[in-house]
Amino acid sequence: MKSLAELKAIKDKMKDKVVLREGSSDIRVVVGMATCGIAAGARPVLNAFVEEVNNAGLSGQVTVSQTGCIGICEFEPVVEVFDADKKVTYVKMTPDKVKKIVAEHLKGGKVVAEYTIADKA
């Protein structure tokens, strides 16, 4: 980076991603990012959610954020989806699974049961 113009271009490019993480929307996606989650691959999952929500045009309805330990380390990476009615806990997440959750759950309103903690218990 050699100029203020380059810095501004980077800021503008990343603005949508930061807004996704800080917004207040109807649906919240929370990725567990404690050391256990990060070691299990939570960072690429978080990045995939930010990207997929943005690509799906859901940035006004969905907030993607991170939290510390969710408390079920054996199921990491863990993602909780909150909406007005309920909380759904997705476990053993991967970036590939994120695409299905965004398409079916966040966009279509249908929980992807095979990725939930209820399916693993």
Side-chain angles (χ1 to χ4, degrees), residues 40-42 45 72-79 89-98 101 114-117 120:
V45 170
I72 49 175
C73 300
E74 68 270 21
F75 294 110
E76 292 289 356
V78 176
V79 174
T89 303
Y90 290 108
V91 296
K92 300 201 180 276
M93 287 299 302
T94 65
D96 289 335
K97 291 178 179 179
V98 169
I101 290 170
E114 72 228 49
Y115 300 159
T116 65
I117 186 111
K120 309 293 184 257

Side-chain angles (χ1 to χ4, degrees), residues 4-78:
L4 287 175
E6 283 183 69
L7 179 61
K8 184 178 180 336
I10 293 169
K11 177 184 172 189
D12 291 341
K13 179 180 175 187
M14 299 306 291
K15 194 172 188 174
D16 288 338
K17 293 184 180 188
V18 173
V19 169
L20 284 173
R21 293 182 185 188
E22 294 177 351
S24 59
S25 305
D26 298 336
I27 300 172
R28 288 186 309 125
V29 175
V30 181
V31 181
M33 292 286 288
T35 53
C36 53
I38 292 169
R43 190 170 311 281
V45 170
L46 175 68
N47 292 336
F49 265 110
V50 169
E51 186 175 323
E52 290 297 321
V53 165
N54 197 27
N55 290 344
L58 296 173
S59 58
Q61 297 90 15
V62 178
T63 300
V64 179
S65 63
Q66 61 187 36
T67 191
C69 184
I70 293 175
I72 49 175
C73 300
E74 68 270 21
F75 294 110
E76 292 289 356
V78 176

